[in-house]
Structures are given as C-alpha cells and as structure tokens.
Amino acid sequence: MSGGRVLRDAPWLSSGPAARVLEVFNGSGEEARVVGGAVRNALLNIPIGDVDIATTALPDEVIRRARAAGIKSVPTGIEHGTVTLVVDSQPFEVTTLREDVETFGRKAKVAFGRDWVRDAQRRDFTINGLSVSADGTVHDHVGGLDDIAAGRVRFIGDPDQRIAEDYLRILRFFRMHAAFGAGEPDRDGVLACIRGRPGLASLSAERVRMETLKLLVAEGAPTAIIAMEDGGLLLALFGGVAYRGPFKAMVAAERMLGLKADPIRRLGALGVAVTEDAKRLAIRLRLTNGETKALDSMGHRWWRLAGMDEPTARRRLYRLGEVRYRDRLLLAWARAGGDSDPAPWRELATLPERWSAPKFPLKAADFKARGIAEGPALGHVLTIAEDAWLAADFPLEQSALAAIADQSAARFTRDHRL
Ligand code: ATP
Ligand code: MG
C-alpha cells in the first residue's frame, strides 16, 4: 500500500515556510512530514488550506528546535502534543506522532509514539491518512491513494468503532464526501453513521457548528444532505424539521446569481421556515450573535417578499440593507417550489446591483423649523416623515421634501393636540 507516488510541482512543499519547518525537524534522529488535509488537497489538485505537520520529536524537542532556528512557537494544544510555529506570519501546527492505545473500555486513549503507520491509523478517513515527506514522497499506510482516485470517503478501520470513539466523525464523513467524494457515499460508512446516530446528542454545540457550516458549503452538499436526511441524522442534529427541497433550491439560486456559498444562508434554507426554527438552531449549533441575527432575519415573514412590485422591493431593501434583503429574498425564492419561474425572483434578487437606497434627507432641524419641540416628539415626527418619503418612492427634489416635511409636521401636531 505504501509508497510509489511522488508529489511533484509542489512549490509550497519544496520551498517557502513549510519547507523551512520540515527542515528543522528532519535529521538528528527525528522525522517530520506534512499530514492530513494538505496532502489530500495537493493530490486532488485543489487549493491547500492549513499545512499540518507531524513529527517524531516530542513537544519539548519541538519547542527547543524551533527556538534554536529562531522560529516563534506557541503551545496551542500542548496536551495533545501540538505546538504552533509561525514562519513568515504563516502558522503551522506541529504535532508529535500519536497512536491509539487499546483500553478495555470503549474510548481509545492517545499516546505519543514514533510510528507513522499507527499515526495514520488513528486518523478518520483513508483520504485524510496520507503523509508526504519534504522530498515529495507520499506515504500511504491506509489505502488513501486509491480512494482519492476513486472519490471514495472510507473510514480507516471498523466504522462503528471509529464512530464510537468520536461521534463528530459522523458529520465529518458527510462533509468529506460532500467536498471530495464522487457519487453516493460509502454504504458501510452510511450505515455505521445511522447506527451511531444516538451518539450525536453527546457532541458539544461548538464542534457541531464548525463541521455543519463547513458541510453546508461543500460542493456536493445537496447530495450529502439527502443522505443525512434519509438516515434521520438531520433531525438528530437540528432537533426539528430539515427542508431539503428548499436547501437544494437555495444552492441552485446562489449558483444562478453567481453568489459565493454562504453557510448561514444555506442553513436558513435547510432549517428555517419560521423564526422559532432560527432560535432553536442558534442554540443547537451555538451560533455567534451575528449568525443568529442573520438567521432570524431570514425567517422573519419572508413570504411577504414573493411577487413584490419594484417600489415595494426598494422599500424593503432600504429597511433591511443589502445583505438581509438578499438573504431573505433568497429564502422566499428557495421555498417557492421548484417549478416557480426564476425570472421575477432573479429580478428582485439583483435589485441591489441596480439601485442603492439614498439616505433619508430630512433632518431634525427641518422639523424644529416647523415648530416641533426638541425631545421624543422630534423622533416621532421623523419616523412619520420617513414613512411618507418611502411611500413616495424616495424623492430627492427640494419641493417634494418640503411638502413631506410640512405634511408630517401637520399630521404629528394634529394627532398630538392636547
Ligand atoms: P480542512 O480542509 O477542513 O482543514 P482537514 O482534513 O485538514 O480538512 P482538519 O479538521 O483540519 O481537517 O483535520 C486535520 C487532520 O486531522 C485530518 O485530515 C485528519 O487526518 C485528522 N482529524 C481531524 N479530525 C479528526 C477526528 N475527529 N478523528 C480522527 N482524525 C481527525
Ligand atoms: Mg485542516
């Protein structure tokens, strides 16, 4: 299984900061390799994210060698043997080789080791179990190369056991398949995920959030979502209904508009029909405040955005701002059903590209000049005037603005006469 393949034309490996880090830990009885996602992506010819490095050197030795080489090190996860090195302001996680230690109970413990095979075996999927040396030699101890070529995401070892060690692997299985797999997800893997379903409840919301948001924006997310829904996994994760039709429609709408995949917008399509759904998801996934507000805004009476005429759309855009307007509109579109004509939706969704709302031109001074007293009365009359300005379709001519100011002041005075 091992060897054979050499990674060529990989400047990120042969020169630059990653090469420098590898050099520090290769030699004098120690070895270092790039592991995990970077190797996988390089072999798939897709952009490399973080470059993670594994080494036989123990953490103290990692810190010592970094210092000797003048490289900054931060003990970011020292209890699991991880030290982060920063070279040219690029961070590298350097982790001492680990292996699962057999325990009589269920959970495998990890210990430091010097064995590359066992380090590969404790990783989750074969495509994530590859490592590469500084000279480009690819080491495959788990059958990852064949699976990369076939677009197959397979657990390393017995899927049931691997899932029981860490239930997050259920989510990672579908995420990795959505990002790197071809066709249907591996049957043995899917069945083991379904059997492991009750374990999802034990995961922390933070870990579920991270994997879920990555899963939702992966290339093959619609197919993965169908498989997860069929396995009852989404109900277990979300604690409520998952709407896979709208999810698929959202992905299609984003593509039609040339928008970048947005995890929260996609989560809205998958899980939100009413604002209660947004509140539940925010708790289940421990979303950030910003994410929670965005999701909640999407769910807020989105149905009123269907079939708007252009002046109404302009008012909504003014009130909501570009991002909230577009996200809510896309939810309305995604929930409109597959056979609705895309043309009018597209028209509404692209309104922010054709028109941006002017600033409301009337000021407090305009109303003080019309005899309105300082204080809450001013705020109130400004609201009345702003509504009137919107209803008149954002006029900017002085005469129109003066008329709106006169009428608003008169109306306020009439309504608030003692
Ligand atoms: P990404 O592109 O999302 O960063 P990645 O494969 O690098 O993908 P990470 O979460 O950064 O994913 O993990 C790095 C590596 O650590 C993985 O490739 C895998 O080998 C291993 N790994 C991560 N999480 C787990 C896990 N829960 N169980 C076993 N191995 C894991
Ligand atoms: Mg990574």
Side-chain angles (χ1 to χ4, degrees):
M1 249 191 300
S2 182
R5 186 75 201 261
V6 177
L7 206 56
R8 293 180 212 285
D9 300 321
W12 62 272
L13 181 66
S14 52
S15 59
R20 171 119 195 270
V21 175
L22 289 173
E23 203 182 292
V24 170
F25 300 106
N26 274 320
S28 308
E30 305 294 359
E31 185 183 354
R33 298 177 188 172
V34 174
V35 290
V39 188
R40 175 197 67 217
N41 289 15
L43 290 163
L44 286 166
N45 272 316
I46 59 178
I48 290 161
D50 297 333
V51 176
D52 296 325
I53 289 168
T55 178
T56 52
L58 290 171
D60 286 346
E61 177 68 3
V62 170
I63 293 168
R64 198 192 63 73
R65 287 196 186 197
R67 190 182 302 131
I71 296 173
K72 182 182 167 191
S73 69
V74 191
T76 44
I78 197 82
E79 65 282 11
H80 328 103
T82 301
V83 178
T84 298
L85 266 53
V86 186
V87 179
D88 296 346
S89 46
Q90 196 181 327
F92 294 90
E93 284 193 358
V94 179
T95 305
T96 303
L97 291 193
R98 285 173 297 182
E99 51 194 63
D100 288 342
V101 178
E102 215 59 66
T103 48
F104 297 104
R106 291 165 304 162
K107 262 215 158 133
K109 277 209 166 116
V110 285
F112 296 138
R114 296 188 64 85
D115 185 338
W116 289 97
V117 178
R118 293 178 75 170
D119 186 77
Q121 284 166 344
R122 66 157 192 95
R123 295 175 184 277
D124 43 13
F125 308 107
T126 60
I127 63 167
N128 289 346
L130 297 155
S131 57
V132 63
S133 301
D135 66 0
T137 306
V138 177
H139 308 269
D140 181 9
H141 309 294
V142 290
L145 280 171
D146 286 347
D147 284 344
I148 281 187
R152 215 161 35 213
V153 176
R154 270 196 311 134
F155 282 95
I156 296 172
D158 173 50
D160 291 292
Q161 192 195 326
R162 302 312 309 279
I163 289 170
E165 288 164 11
D166 180 1
Y167 289 96
L168 193 71
R169 291 174 186 158
I170 293 177
L171 268 163
R172 288 179 60 86
F173 172 76
F174 289 100
R175 201 249 291 182
M176 295 292 161
H177 179 76
F180 312 110
E184 292 299 311
D186 175 63
R187 210 182 116 79
D188 290 345
V190 172
L191 290 174
C193 288
I194 296 172
R195 287 190 291 266
R197 188 172 63 201
L200 289 171
S202 64
L203 291 172
S204 76
E206 287 89 346
R207 294 183 83 205
V208 173
R209 170 184 171 280
M210 281 258 287
E211 283 298 327
T212 303
L213 297 187
K214 285 185 179 180
L215 165 68
L216 292 177
V217 296
E219 182 66 25
T223 314
I225 287 295
I226 290 172
M228 290 179 81
E229 173 72 350
D230 287 347
L233 300 169
L234 294 180
L235 181 63
L237 284 169
F238 293 171
V241 199
Y243 310 101
R244 68 192 207 189
F247 180 74
K248 191 172 165 219
M250 177 64 87
V251 173
E254 277 180 345
R255 287 188 182 146
M256 208 182 288
L257 296 171
L259 295 173
K260 188 167 170 273
D262 181 87
I264 296 300
R265 190 163 56 210
R266 288 187 174 193
L267 180 63
L270 182 60
V272 177
V274 289
T275 47
E276 281 66 33
D277 291 328
K279 288 184 177 54
R280 172 173 39 76
L281 285 174
I283 294 167
R284 283 272 172 162
L285 304 183
R286 195 154 311 153
L287 299 179
T288 66
N289 282 343
E291 290 164 349
T292 302
K293 284 188 186 140
L295 201 63
D296 199 68
S297 166
M298 278 179 85
H300 189 80
R301 301 208 267 183
W302 49 267
W303 49 88
R304 296 200 307 169
L305 272 57
M308 294 181 289
D309 57 20
E310 188 115 349
T312 308
R314 279 199 285 267
R315 285 198 290 277
R316 299 251 193 269
L317 172 54
Y318 175 83
R319 297 278 194 206
L320 290 170
E322 187 175 331
V323 173
R324 297 269 150 95
Y325 168 86
R326 193 183 284 121
D327 287 357
R328 195 185 294 179
L329 188 92
L330 268 108
L331 181 64
W333 182 2
R335 299 196 66 91
D339 37 278
S340 73
D341 177 10
W345 288 110
R346 213 191 155 113
E347 201 61 17
L348 288 170
T350 52
L351 176 62
E353 288 154 39
R354 297 189 301 276
W355 182 83
S356 39
K359 262 180 87 85
F360 178 48
L362 291 170
K363 300 274 173 289
D366 297 309
F367 296 96
K368 278 195 255 176
R370 285 170 172 81
I372 306 293
E374 197 92 50
L378 263 182
H380 195 149
V381 78
L382 275 163
T383 307
I384 294 173
E386 192 180 21
D387 289 346
W389 181 64
L390 290 182
D393 205 17
F394 309 91
L396 296 173
E397 314 81 50
Q398 279 313 315
S399 57
L401 291 171
I404 288 173
D406 289 343
Q407 283 155 16
S408 303
R411 189 173 141 205
F412 178 82
T413 313
R414 188 186 66 228
D415 290 354
H416 292 82
R417 225 188 330 252
L418 291 174

